Amino acid sequence: MIRLRTGFYFLYVALGTIILVRVLSFGVRFETITGIVLGILLIALGIYRLFQVTRVRTSKR
Amino acid sequence: MSSNPQLRRAVTPWGSFSWGYSDVGADIFIGLGLVLAYAAGASNFAFLFAGLVYVCIGLAYTELAAAYPVAGGGQYFVLRGLGDLFGFIAGWAVLLDFTIDITLFAWSSVDYMSQLLPAVLASVHPWSHFLVVLGLIGLLCLLNVIGVRESTAFQGSVAAVDVLSETLILCFGFLFAFQPQILIHTMHVSWPSMFGLMQGTSLAIVSFVGLESISQAAQETQRPASVIPRTSVVLILTILIYAVGYSNLALGMQMWHPVHDAHGHAIAFWQLFPGNGDNQGKAVALLSAQIPYYGLLAQFYVPILGAILLLISANSGVFGSSRIAYSMSTSKLLPSVFQRIHARFRTPAASILTFCGLAVVVLIFAALPQLDHGARAVYQRLFHGEDGITFLGDLYAFGAATSYSFVFVALVALRLFDPMTPRKFKIPFNIPMRVRGERVEFPIIAVIGFIGIFSILVFTLITHDIGRVAGPGWLILGVFLYFLYRRNKKLPLFRSQPHDWRTAQTSILKNAGELELMDEYHANLRASDERKRALR
C-alpha cells in the first residue's frame, strides 16, 4: 500500500515537472502564470506527501 | 426520540478527508462548466483568484476546527468570536449553502447521468429530470436518518477512486491534449469583459465550498486536533490543483473529436458552455471524453463517477445542514427541536427532515422555468432568464461568501480575546501584540482572506440577479425568525446570552479525547488568572 502511494505521489512530481517545462518553454508571461503555479503546486504536494509516506514507513519499521 | 444521546465519534482520518473531499472535490464537476460559460478565456485566472482566497479560508477553518472541534463549524466559530446575533447570521448563511448544496449537487448528478442516458434524463424531458432529482433528495434524507458510519465508509471508497481518476485525466490531458500555444491564443482572443470576469470569479468560489464539512465532522472525528490539520492541508492543495489544472486544460486543449458550429467551423472546448445549461452541469464528463486514448475509457466511467460523487456531495449537504442546525439549537439560536437525536440511530432526524424539505422547495424554484412556460417568462423578465443550475450556483456563491467573511472576522476576534485555547495548528504570518495584558498574535492571512472573500461577495451581488435578491432575502427572513424566537424565549435580541466558554471548552476537549490539550488549556487559564490578580 505504501509503495502504491509512493508511486502515486511520484506521478504528481513528474506531472508537475512536465507542465512546468512545457509552459516555461513559452517563457514567463501573463498567460503562462497559472500553468507555472499549477506545476509548482503539483511538485510541492507530491514532495510533501512523499515525505509523509516515508515518515510512516520509517515509524512502522 | 431523546435529547440525551450525543453524536458518536465514528469518523476516522480518512473519513474526515473524504467528507471534505467528496464535498469540495465534487465542486469542480459543477464549477468548471459554470466558470467557463462566464469567464471564458480568463477561467484559469478566476479559479486561481478564488483558489487563493480558498487557501486562506482553508487555513482559517483548519485552525478553528482543530481548536474548537464541534458540530457547527463556521457558525460556532462566529458565535464564539462575535456573539449570538452574528453567530446566527453566519449559521443561517451556511444553512442556505448546505440546503442549496443538496439540490445543486443532486441536480448536477442527474446531468452527469444524462450523459449516459440522454433519452431518459436530458433536460428535453424536464419532468423526468425533476422527478429523478426529487427522488434522490428523498433517498439521501433516508440514508442520513439511518446514520453516519454507513455513508462515511461509502464516501471513502468513492473519494479514493475519484482522486485517482481526476489525477489520471490531468496526466493524460496534459501529456496528449494540452497545447500551451492554444492556451495563450484563447486567453488573448477570448478574454471576457470586466463584468464577465467578476461573474466568473464569483462562480469559481462554488468550486471551493466544503471545508465546512470537515469542521462539521470534527465533532464526530477521533482525536480531531491532530487529524483535522493533517487532512485539511492535503485537501486544500489537492482541490486547488484540480481547479487550476482543469481550467488550464479546458482552455488549452486540442479536442480529440473536434466539435463544429453551425457554419462548419471547429470550436474551442470552452465554447461548449456559454448559454448551454445542460453542458454546464456535466463539464468534467465532456472534458474527459476529449482526452486522447484515456477518453475511450473515461467517457463511460466519468459520468457514473461524477454522478456518484455529486450525490455524495449532496449527502454532505444533508449531513452539514442537520449538524449546523443541531449546533445552533444547542446555542439557543434555533428552537430545541433541531437538537433532538433519534434514540435508535443517534442522528438529528428532525433537522435532516426539515432541510431536505427546504431543498425540495429550492428545487421547485430552480426547475420551474423548465416545467412551466409562464414561469419561464417571469424569470426572463426578472432575472434575465438564468437557468436552473445558474440560479442554484448564484445562491451557493452568496451563502459561501457571506459565511466565510464572518469566519475571518471571528478568527481575528478569537485570536485576540481567547488566546488561552490551545491551537495545535496556527496560520503562519502573525503580528505579536498585547491585548488585555495577554500576549496574542494578529493573523495577517485572515485580513488578506477577508478582503478576497468580501470582494467575491460584492462580485456576486453586482453580477447575479437572483443572488442579489434571494440571498439577502434569506438573511432578512432568518433575522426576523431569530428575533421572534428569542423574544418568545425571553432571551436578549441584540446582545448575547451569558455563555460559560471555559466550561464549554473543557467539555469540548474532553469529549474529543484531547486530554493533553485540555490540561494545557487549564494551565493557560490558571496562568492568565494569576497574571490578572498580580495586576490588581
Side-chain angles (χ1 to χ4, degrees):
Chain A
M1 190 64 186
I2 287 178
R3 209 172 280 173
L4 198 71
R5 286 168 66 187
T6 310
F8 185 69
Y9 290 112
F10 262 122
L11 194 65
Y12 270 54
V13 178
L15 180 63
T17 312
I18 289 167
I19 292 173
L20 211 52
V21 169
R22 289 195 69 190
V23 169
L24 278 177
S25 65
F26 286 82
V28 180
R29 45 195 286 183
F30 174 69
E31 296 89 347
T32 55
I33 287 173
T34 54
I36 294 168
V37 172
L38 175 63
I40 292 171
L41 278 174
L42 275 163
I43 295 169
L45 179 62
I47 290 174
Y48 172 70
R49 291 295 287 160
L50 280 173
F51 269 116
Q52 279 192 331
V53 173
T54 314
R55 210 181 307 151
V56 170
R57 188 191 287 177
T58 314
S59 65
K60 275 189 178 172
R61 277 180 189 164
Chain B
M1 289 202 195
S2 151
S3 58
N4 290 331
Q6 296 283 307
L7 295 170
R8 62 185 176 194
R9 291 192 175 272
V11 182
T12 59
W14 172 251
S16 170
F17 174 85
S18 60
W19 267 120
Y21 183 81
S22 52
D23 200 351
V24 199
D27 290 346
I28 191 68
F29 281 75
I30 294 173
L32 183 64
L34 286 172
V35 176
L36 285 170
Y38 292 98
S43 297
N44 50 356
F45 269 88
F47 274 114
L48 185 62
F49 178 76
L52 292 177
V53 173
Y54 156 77
V55 170
C56 299
I57 299 162
L59 292 173
Y61 265 84
T62 304
E63 176 175 325
L64 292 168
Y68 310 99
V70 289
Q75 174 273 323
Y76 182 80
F77 310 145
V78 178
L79 173 74
R80 291 239 358 203
L82 304 175
D84 287 6
L85 180 59
F86 289 110
F88 172 80
I89 295 172
W92 194 247
V94 176
L95 281 176
L96 168 69
D97 230 22
F98 275 114
T99 309
I100 298 294
D101 181 298
I102 300 168
T103 313
L104 176 62
F105 287 87
W107 179 294
S108 192
S109 176
V110 177
D111 282 347
Y112 272 84
M113 284 185 230
S114 78
Q115 182 71 2
L116 288 182
L117 299 167
V120 186
L121 295 169
S123 60
V124 287
H125 307 287
W127 275 102
S128 65
H129 189 279
F130 172 76
L131 289 174
V132 175
V133 177
L134 189 66
L136 288 179
I137 294 173
L139 182 74
L140 293 176
C141 183
L142 185 70
L143 187 70
N144 275 271
V145 169
I146 290 171
V148 65
R149 185 186 286 273
E150 292 74 15
S151 42
T152 303
F154 181 59
Q155 278 185 348
S157 322
V158 177
V161 173
D162 188 69
V163 168
L164 186 65
S165 167
E166 291 203 32
T167 306
L168 285 175
I169 290 170
L170 283 184
C171 281
F172 277 85
F174 276 101
L175 281 177
F176 301 112
F178 180 68
Q179 303 290 343
Q181 60 271 33
I182 295 181
L183 174 73
I184 291 167
H185 174 77
T186 307
M187 289 177 73
H188 265 301
V189 175
S190 313
W191 192 262
S193 64
M194 186 49 87
F195 190 84
L197 186 58
M198 285 198 292
Q199 210 165 9
T201 307
S202 61
L203 285 168
I205 200 67
V206 166
S207 303
F208 301 105
V209 184
L211 277 171
E212 194 76 35
S213 297
I214 284 200
S215 44
Q216 296 306 304
Q219 181 152 324
E220 297 172 43
T221 301
Q222 299 153 357
R223 299 296 308 269
S226 320
V227 169
I228 298 293
R230 252 190 305 158
T231 54
S232 297
V233 169
V234 177
L235 182 71
I236 292 165
L237 286 178
T238 306
I239 298 302
L240 185 60
I241 284 170
Y242 289 156
V244 179
Y246 274 106
S247 55
N248 270 298
L249 188 56
L251 292 181
M253 75 185 288
Q254 177 83 54
M255 284 209 273
W256 200 24
H257 307 293
V259 178
H260 298 90
D261 63 12
H263 307 289
H265 300 125
I267 60 170
F269 178 74
W270 72 268
Q271 289 174 310
L272 295 173
F273 300 96
N276 189 328
D278 286 349
N279 283 351
Q280 287 166 22
K282 53 185 180 189
V284 175
L286 294 171
L287 183 139
S288 61
Q290 291 290 347
I291 304 291
Y293 316 118
Y294 192 67
L296 282 173
L297 175 68
Q299 64 182 325
F300 294 110
Y301 86 84
V302 169
I304 299 169
L305 183 66
I308 294 172
L309 194 70
L310 287 161
L311 205 54
I312 290 174
S313 194
N315 189 38
S316 296
V318 182
F319 175 85
S321 58
S322 58
R323 266 52 174 190
I324 292 169
Y326 173 89
S327 170
M328 288 173 77
S329 177
T330 53
S331 308
K332 293 195 171 62
L333 303 179
L334 282 177
S336 59
V337 66
F338 292 108
Q339 59 181 298
R340 282 195 195 156
I341 305 272
H342 196 284
R344 185 173 159 204
F345 300 120
R346 297 178 68 182
T347 52
S351 300
I352 292 168
L353 291 170
T354 305
F355 290 100
C356 285
L358 273 175
V360 172
V361 174
V362 173
L363 170 65
I364 293 168
F365 273 103
L368 215 52
Q370 288 178 3
L371 300 176
D372 182 75
H373 288 290
R376 189 183 300 166
V378 173
Y379 275 52
Q380 189 72 41
R381 204 171 58 241
L382 294 177
F383 306 124
H384 297 100
E386 283 195 348
D387 50 24
I389 195 162
T390 317
F391 165 87
L392 296 170
D394 279 8
L395 286 182
Y396 200 51
F398 176 84
T402 306
S403 60
Y404 288 158
S405 300
F406 278 110
V407 168
F408 280 124
V409 182
L411 173 71
V412 174
L414 287 167
R415 279 281 193 94
L416 299 184
F417 303 115
D418 184 24
M420 273 78 75
T421 295
R423 288 162 168 82
K424 218 166 178 179
F425 173 84
K426 206 175 252 186
I427 300 180
F429 307 115
N430 302 295
I431 302 172
M433 55 171 69
R434 277 193 177 274
V435 173
R436 295 178 181 172
E438 302 287 345
R439 285 184 60 192
V440 299
E441 289 178 296
F442 185 87
I444 299 170
I445 297 278
V447 178
I448 297 170
F450 177 78
I451 294 167
I453 195 68
F454 193 73
S455 60
I456 288 179
L457 179 62
V458 173
F459 294 166
T460 308
L461 292 174
I462 291 173
T463 59
H464 297 282
D465 293 323
I466 295 177
R468 185 163 49 228
V469 177
W474 170 262
L475 290 186
I476 291 166
L477 173 73
V479 171
F480 175 72
L481 294 175
Y482 170 80
F483 284 148
L484 217 59
Y485 165 70
R486 299 278 284 201
R487 214 180 119 199
N488 278 346
K489 290 283 169 188
K490 296 189 171 49
L491 292 166
L493 297 184
F494 292 96
R495 285 178 298 110
S496 299
Q497 57 179 319
H499 292 283
D500 183 0
W501 292 128
R502 288 186 173 198
T503 311
Q505 186 64 17
T506 302
S507 167
I508 288 167
L509 293 173
K510 191 177 171 188
N511 289 337
E514 297 287 1
L515 300 181
E516 286 171 19
L517 289 185
M518 191 177 78
D519 291 342
E520 192 184 331
Y521 179 59
H522 288 159
N524 290 346
L525 288 176
R526 274 196 300 275
S528 167
D529 290 344
E530 277 167 20
R531 271 196 300 275
K532 279 174 191 162
R533 265 198 296 275
L535 280 173
R536 277 183 213 141

